[in-house]
Amino acid sequence: MFRRDVQSIKDLVMRNLRVQGLETPLLQKRLVEAWPLVAGEAIARYTTQVTIYNQTLYVKISVPALRQNLSMQRQELVKKLNDYVHSQIITDIRFN
């Protein structure tokens, strides 16, 4: 008898994406889409734009007081967002 190397479809797809150089853009897209879920609906309502550049998440907030409040929670939000995608995608958040 021989033993087969059984792998999940998820592992095979992620390995294929990694080989093609598409894993990081996919995870970045998931992280951007996770902003309303992680930050909450109330904060998402005042968010006008979310982008990633050089491992920094740039979030445009329309209310200055909320922007200041979120700046104090920056490291906690970075951890929650990275945990959501199960990878170290961002290292900082900047609120504009």
Side-chain angles (χ1 to χ4, degrees), residues 22-81:
L22 299 173
E23 181 182 33
T24 300
L26 176 65
L27 292 174
Q28 287 176 345
K29 182 180 182 321
R30 285 185 186 165
L31 190 134
V32 167
E33 290 175 349
W35 172 254
L37 300 172
V38 173
E41 287 184 34
I43 295 170
R45 206 173 306 140
Y46 298 107
T47 302
T48 58
Q49 185 178 6
V50 181
T51 58
I52 296 177
Y53 182 73
N54 286 341
Q55 291 188 327
T56 301
L57 183 70
Y58 292 91
V59 181
K60 194 166 200 173
I61 303 288
S62 59
V63 179
L66 181 59
R67 189 179 322 136
Q68 182 63 30
N69 188 18
L70 289 173
S71 292
M72 290 184 274
Q73 300 174 7
R74 194 170 65 221
Q75 292 305 318
E76 179 183 338
L77 288 168
V78 167
K79 182 180 180 336
K80 284 182 180 181
L81 287 164

